[in-house]
Amino acid sequence: MKTLVYDEEIYYEGKSLHLTPSQTILMKCLIEADGKIVTRSQLMIELWQTDQYIGAGTLTTHISRLRRQLKTQTGRPFIYTKKAGGYFLRDE
């Protein structure tokens, strides 16, 4: 990623973004995937540290809020959905 960086916090063009702990975990996973698709299952395990079933709508809500937060702070959504695949970042 060119403008998004993870270093204990998420940075955009050198400025720290104000994200919740859950949003930071999601962004860390997506940034580390370097543009590759991260499955919903991978994100759920990373976020909740369990393989127990968490409602799919819960992750969808987290992603939606994160997209809104990114758009508010940077003017860009960054997170894209691969239908039936998962999520990925586009940082260009």
Side-chain angles (χ1 to χ4, degrees):
M1 299 283 102
K2 295 178 182 174
T3 57
L4 286 169
V5 178
Y6 171 75
D7 182 24
E8 299 303 315
E9 290 184 54
I10 306 298
Y11 294 89
Y12 173 71
E13 295 183 341
K15 296 179 184 172
S16 178
L17 298 180
H18 302 286
L19 302 175
T20 67
S22 295
Q23 290 173 337
T24 300
I25 290 169
L26 291 171
M27 285 300 295
K28 174 184 178 284
C29 292
L30 292 167
I31 289 169
E32 289 177 348
D34 198 29
K36 294 179 180 74
I37 295 168
V38 181
T39 67
R40 293 177 58 83
S41 295
Q42 289 171 306
L43 290 173
M44 291 172 82
I45 288 170
E46 203 54 44
L47 189 56
W48 287 288
Q49 298 293 309
T50 181
D51 59 358
Q52 292 181 349
Y53 180 75
I54 306 288
T58 304
L59 179 61
T60 301
T61 299
H62 274 71
I63 293 291
S64 175
R65 289 178 181 160
L66 177 55
R67 281 181 172 143
R68 187 172 44 243
Q69 190 76 341
L70 290 172
K71 182 83 170 168
T72 298
Q73 292 185 50
T74 69
R76 299 175 59 196
F78 289 106
I79 300 172
Y80 294 86
T81 304
K82 171 67 175 165
K83 191 171 183 173
Y87 301 97
F88 64 98
L89 289 182
R90 187 177 300 150
D91 187 15
E92 299 199 29

